[in-house]
Amino acid sequence: MARYELVKRSVALITLTNPPVNALSSAVRHAMAKSMEQALNDPKVTAVVICGENGRFCGGADIREFAGPLRGPPLVPLLDAIEAGEKPVVAAIEGVALGGGFELALVCHYCIAHFKARLGLPEVTLGILPAAGGTQRLPRLIGIPAALELITTGRHISAQEALKLGIVDQVTEQNACEVAVEFALRAVAKPLSSRRVSMLTTPCPPDLDALLEVVTMEVKKKARGVMAPLACIQAVRAAATMPYSKGIKRESELMATLFNSGQARALQYCFFAQRTAGKWTLPSGAQWNNSKPREIRSAAIIGLGTMGRGIVVSLARVGISVIAVESEKKLLETGKQMVIGMLERDAKRRGVSASLNLLKFTLSLQDLKDVDLVIEAVFEDMALKKRVFQELSKVCRPATLLCTNTSGLDVDALAGVTDRPHLVVGMHFFSPAHVMKLLEVVCGPRSSSETIATAMSLGKRMGKVSVAVGNCPGFVGNRMLKPYMDQATFLLEEGATPEQIDKALEDFGFAMGVFRMSDLAGLDVGWRIRKESGLTGPDVDPKNPPRRRHGRRYCPIPDMVCEQGRFGQKTGRGWYMYDKPGGTNAKPDPLIQNLLEMYRSRYAIQPRNISDQEIIERCLFALANEGFRILEDGIAARPEDIDVIYLFGYGFPRHRGGPMFYASMVGLERVLERLEHYHQAHPDVPHLEPSPLLKKLVACGSPSVQTWREHIKTMHSHL
Ligand code: T1G
Ligand code: NAD
């Protein structure tokens, strides 16, 4: 847990040994306390160096221990003792110094960082704050504005930035540990008092209150309803206005209010869920750690529309050569210019040169003979996609993987028209594809484990959070979206307005309410799908039966909005009105109010006052209910996978953990009771009927979300 060695005859080298990130578990804290005592008491030792094994200094407190009672020595007195010791202590930072790891570096009298090291206080992203003196020492060292920024955002900084800010004393390209030992030997005779950060006076700007007010406003705007950043600001205020001994007490009080909060539990759940999601597993036993992905050096994208462009950029910026195919010369040229512009802007932002030499543009599928992988992104039209896949299987060499970016069509039906169904898989990106982090990897029943491993690993290489899902209409994300959006439109019928529903969802924490999101995505897409599936269109009689289709309740208001040419932001009108086509500033539109009033009077619906609570319950419990069905159907392997999809693909608020975690926080019994209540009131809405899995979990005493899998195990997996 901590190795103790004497090097150069007089330097105690303490190495944290708790792979993979040398987190400060109770065992590590115990071993560190013993090692420090030994170093400070041994007369042979004149200086100490602290480093971490395997080129990683320390990833902070062991987050897994947060769920249980505190065991082992607490961190704060241990760190105070290091700082107060009479022998110089040098931190040798390689890899990461995060959270408690950064706080450990702050109590060391000197810091040497490897040039590739990253430092930061990411506690705020876990719903807590730096509670081992970080909120009190960092402002003393680098001043209030810089400390506030780092602590309230959790941003990681490079070694170079840390040097500029005065956090580290030297950046090296050599072995940081060896450099630190030499540095320690030179530091032996020097006085330490000015190196004890807790003894420094915080440099205080004259307009402290105004500065804190501005940061508070910014934080409230960025992270609606999130508590931790506000507590961080209060802790930093204490560093500016109180002596260290009082400030540290304030830090600890604020931590206590956050530590057991639902938000902290949700955010820590998200941390682990994100890491769990990459660990896919198939019923055959093939899984993430026993299936080798293929190496992908070249790829082709078919269709340079909204999605194709973003996918090209995502591939090219990680060094994969890409051939992009369009159907017509003019479209190819437009797509090409867009892609080049996007890549250039992206490269400029990242301070690198754009990899334009990796791109090729063509009108001919014949050029795809030798690529390793193809991603099809043509219109959402099964017949067209089938033609493309048939053609690809003729043109591409037999080993080429064939992927589709369809939003919800049957991946296996596409596999069926090729000569290599085992090499076909869905790679469902989200718009804009070069920005959004989510990738659903849709496993068809015939996709091989190597194919799935390759798609998952390619996603990771592109910086995506990849989640393996089964093949069914809409997969996971879009399948769940339907009941959620249906509830929103039913609420419109019953008396709510788009802005009221959006406000309730945004107050809940969504980046965008459902109607603003639809305006952004374009209302015509869903309209086309509804027409194709016979839910609306010239052949459908809206009055017979009214507000019902295919045997269940149907709300035709979205179709009526589209019939008026209102397709959302792109046409300047949708559920809201905008200043101009392409505008983003949504304003309530009286024409929509009129349309709703006329609609209600046509169908003799007496509008009622709808509470925000009803909006949240109906939208979110219907969403989670479909999630339970997805688990039952084996389309997602774990609730964590569903939550990750909603966090990264649909703007679900992270501090609520995702729809499944949220349901568990509300209490499954309550979710069941409310769904039963709403289903009774709306028996023609099957999505409100509680799923058997939800009932089963409640009957089993509502186990924690991490153990639901045990109750699903016996069910069929479509992965
Ligand atoms: N505690 C426990 N497990 C951790 C961990 C941690 N701090 N950090 C990582 N892991 C696990 C992770 O779950 C995964 O496990 C494996 O290590 C590899 O992680 C007192 C209150 C360090 C940048 O927030 O940001 O200090 O999946 O896949 O991409 O004020 O991990 O293999 O079973 O992410 O190379 C603050 C969290 C804690 C840092 C490495 N610290 N970690 O990224 O690997 S609070 C953090 C990270 C605190 C003090 C307080 C990243 C990383 P498994 P990985 P990576
Ligand atoms: P789009 O209409 O913007 O682009 C499709 C492009 O494909 C057009 O440029 C068209 O000219 C081209 N194309 C059509 N037939 C072709 C052919 N035979 N050969 C080469 N190019 C051809 O559509 P989009 O929004 O980019 O969607 C593409 C796919 O991605 C669809 O399956 C869609 O469901 C899916 N998708 C879309 C989104 C989204 O938000 N737009 C999100 C995820 C997935």
Side-chain angles (χ1 to χ4, degrees):
M1 290 296 148
R3 204 169 46 236
Y4 183 93
E5 296 158 78
L6 193 65
V7 297
K8 302 266 172 170
R9 276 194 239 119
S10 64
V11 178
L13 177 63
I14 300 174
T15 309
L16 309 183
T17 58
N18 184 18
V21 303
N22 299 319
L24 298 166
S25 63
S26 62
V28 171
R29 296 196 303 275
H30 185 75
M32 259 183 67
K34 260 183 68 183
S35 300
M36 267 319 288
E37 201 184 310
Q38 188 177 347
L40 293 177
N41 288 337
D42 184 345
K44 286 195 293 301
V45 172
T46 54
V48 183
V49 168
I50 302 178
C51 64
E53 198 170 50
N54 293 336
R56 272 184 166 171
F57 183 68
C58 175
D62 187 337
I63 307 165
R64 282 175 215 276
E65 286 186 354
F66 290 177
L70 176 76
R71 287 180 297 120
L75 194 55
V76 171
L78 173 61
L79 297 192
D80 284 346
I82 295 174
E83 190 188 61
E86 289 303 333
K87 297 179 184 177
V89 183
V90 184
I93 302 175
E94 294 195 319
V96 288
L98 297 175
F102 187 11
E103 290 170 303
L104 170 60
L106 283 174
V107 297
C108 293
H109 307 110
Y110 301 97
C111 283
I112 307 297
H114 187 254
F115 76 113
K116 284 191 175 159
R118 285 181 298 138
L119 297 89
L121 291 171
E123 285 87 342
V124 70
T125 64
L126 298 170
I128 52 177
L129 51 69
T135 65
Q136 303 307 301
R137 285 196 178 88
L138 194 60
R140 284 177 163 76
L141 188 63
I142 65 171
I144 302 277
L148 264 179
E149 196 264 324
L150 291 187
I151 295 172
T152 57
T153 62
R155 182 169 74 87
H156 294 186
I157 56 171
S158 65
Q160 288 74 11
E161 189 175 351
L163 181 68
K164 264 194 219 142
L165 285 168
I167 296 168
V168 305
D169 301 285
Q170 189 182 324
V171 174
T172 178
E173 292 193 14
Q174 288 152 22
N175 180 313
C177 201
E178 287 168 12
V179 174
V181 169
E182 294 303 324
F183 193 101
L185 286 169
R186 290 197 300 277
V188 171
K190 296 190 181 149
L192 287 179
S193 54
S194 67
R195 309 296 311 180
R196 294 189 176 105
V197 177
S198 70
M199 314 280 279
L200 305 178
T201 310
T202 309
C204 202
D207 50 353
L208 177 69
D209 284 335
L211 171 72
L212 293 177
E213 189 57 35
V214 169
V215 178
T216 304
M217 299 305 284
E218 276 170 10
V219 157
K220 279 189 175 162
K221 204 168 138 202
K222 237 193 281 167
R224 267 194 200 208
V226 187
M227 298 176 334
L230 298 174
C232 288
I233 296 173
Q234 291 186 47
V236 172
R237 175 193 282 275
T241 55
M242 292 178 178
Y244 178 77
S245 58
K246 286 214 171 119
I248 199 90
K249 274 204 194 106
R250 185 81 186 111
E251 178 187 275
S252 152
E253 284 161 14
L254 288 162
M255 176 67 157
T257 62
L258 296 174
F259 195 71
N260 292 315
S261 66
Q263 292 194 1
R265 277 168 63 195
L267 286 160
Q268 287 157 31
Y269 165 83
C270 292
F271 176 83
F272 289 115
Q274 189 176 336
R275 281 151 184 86
T276 305
K279 296 179 178 153
W280 57 276
T281 166
L282 303 183
S284 65
Q287 57 184 37
W288 63 284
N289 55 0
N290 65 14
S291 306
K292 201 165 172 285
R294 285 207 203 152
E295 198 184 331
I296 301 297
R297 290 205 191 90
S298 60
I301 304 300
I302 325 252
L304 271 185
T306 312
M307 294 307 290
R309 294 167 194 171
I311 301 172
V312 173
V313 171
S314 302
L315 288 163
R317 70 181 166 198
V318 295
I320 296 171
S321 63
V322 190
I323 306 180
V325 189
E326 250 300 340
S327 54
E328 284 173 34
K329 203 161 175 235
K330 205 167 153 230
L331 294 171
L332 184 71
E333 194 46 43
T334 315
K336 179 177 171 178
Q337 293 315 324
M338 296 289 282
V339 165
I340 290 174
M342 285 157 77
L343 258 179
E344 280 175 341
R345 281 192 298 278
D346 177 75
K348 194 170 166 204
R349 198 173 43 79
R350 293 190 297 138
V352 295
S353 53
S355 34
L356 301 181
N357 57 334
L358 292 172
L359 304 179
K360 226 176 118 178
F361 296 86
T362 178
L363 290 170
S364 167
L365 286 185
Q366 299 299 326
D367 291 342
L368 311 189
K369 271 203 304 289
D370 296 322
V371 294
D372 297 327
L373 171 141
V374 180
I375 302 174
E376 163 278 311
V378 301
F379 304 125
E380 188 77 338
D381 172 339
M382 187 50 126
L384 170 65
K385 286 190 194 278
K386 278 187 172 168
R387 279 202 304 280
V388 169
F389 270 70
Q390 271 164 344
E391 191 69 17
L392 287 172
S393 82
K394 277 190 224 142
V395 167
C396 298
R397 62 188 172 81
T400 302
L401 259 65
L402 304 181
C403 312
T404 173
N405 181 46
T406 173
S407 312
L409 296 177
D410 184 354
V411 171
D412 194 45
L414 289 174
V417 302
T418 72
D419 59 348
R420 63 195 84 182
H422 62 295
L423 296 184
V424 176
V425 70
M427 288 186 79
H428 181 210
F429 293 81
F430 287 70
S431 179
H434 61 304
V435 176
M436 294 292 284
K437 294 272 283 180
L438 180 65
L439 175 70
E440 279 185 328
V441 170
V442 188
C443 312
R446 291 180 274 179
S447 312
S448 74
S449 54
E450 188 193 31
T451 303
I452 295 166
T454 305
M456 290 292 287
S457 115
L458 181 60
K460 193 166 181 194
R461 191 168 156 200
M462 288 187 277
K464 305 290 177 200
V465 177
S466 311
V467 185
V469 300
N471 181 34
C472 71
F475 319 129
V476 171
N478 286 345
R479 172 170 158 180
M480 285 172 70
L481 202 57
K482 172 141 178 46
Y484 170 73
M485 294 185 59
D486 274 358
Q487 285 308 312
T489 52
F490 296 159
L491 286 161
L492 286 185
E493 290 182 316
E494 293 165 36
T497 60
E499 43 280 15
Q500 184 197 356
I501 294 171
D502 280 354
K503 181 166 184 312
L505 292 168
E506 286 161 17
D507 285 348
F508 176 82
F510 271 98
M512 252 187 211
V514 61
F515 294 106
R516 286 216 296 141
M517 186 185 78
S518 304
D519 271 0
L520 174 68
L523 307 184
D524 48 330
V525 186
W527 192 34
R528 202 176 320 123
I529 295 171
R530 292 193 295 279
K531 279 194 272 193
E532 274 163 23
S533 51
L535 287 165
T536 187
D539 302 336
V540 180
D541 179 357
K543 295 201 193 74
N544 193 19
R547 301 171 55 220
R548 276 179 81 82
R549 302 280 195 284
H550 299 171
R552 56 178 66 181
R553 179 169 170 186
Y554 180 79
C555 171
I557 299 173
D559 303 330
M560 294 160 66
V561 172
C562 287
E563 278 156 21
Q564 296 183 4
R566 305 179 67 114
F567 294 159
Q569 283 186 8
K570 60 184 164 192
T571 56
R573 294 276 185 280
W575 291 107
Y576 293 91
M577 60 181 182
Y578 301 85
D579 313 337
K580 55 178 190 295
T584 54
N585 187 11
K587 287 201 205 98
D589 189 339
L591 290 178
I592 290 288
Q593 308 304 329
N594 288 348
L595 184 142
L596 291 175
E597 277 162 28
M598 271 166 42
Y599 175 86
R600 291 180 196 127
S601 72
R602 183 190 311 158
Y603 291 107
I605 301 168
Q606 186 63 41
R608 60 187 177 87
N609 278 333
I610 294 173
S611 69
D612 286 357
Q613 185 185 342
E614 179 171 349
I615 293 171
I616 295 298
E617 287 183 348
R618 280 182 54 187
C619 291
L620 294 183
F621 294 172
L623 183 73
N625 198 31
E626 192 62 19
F628 285 113
R629 286 188 209 284
I630 280 173
L631 290 170
E632 238 158 47
D633 293 350
I635 294 296
R638 302 167 280 233
E640 287 93 336
D641 292 357
I642 296 179
D643 285 334
V644 166
I645 287 171
Y646 263 77
L647 293 171
F648 288 96
Y650 297 86
F652 199 97
R654 212 175 153 86
H655 66 283
R656 306 274 191 182
M660 308 318 286
F661 184 85
Y662 176 66
S664 79
M665 288 294 273
V666 170
L668 298 187
E669 261 175 74
R670 167 134 182 106
V671 175
L672 177 60
E673 181 263 309
R674 297 314 290 159
L675 279 169
E676 276 167 346
H677 165 83
Y678 290 122
H679 188 230
Q680 222 166 31
H682 308 279
D684 51 356
V685 183
H687 285 136
L688 289 173
E689 184 179 359
S691 80
L693 177 61
L694 172 59
K695 288 184 186 160
K696 183 175 168 188
L697 290 170
V698 171
C700 295
S702 301
S704 78
V705 66
Q706 289 87 353
T707 63
W708 289 359
R709 210 166 168 207
E710 292 157 25
H711 301 268
I712 308 165
K713 227 182 223 164
T714 51
M715 298 185 193
H716 184 61
S717 168
H718 278 282
L719 280 170

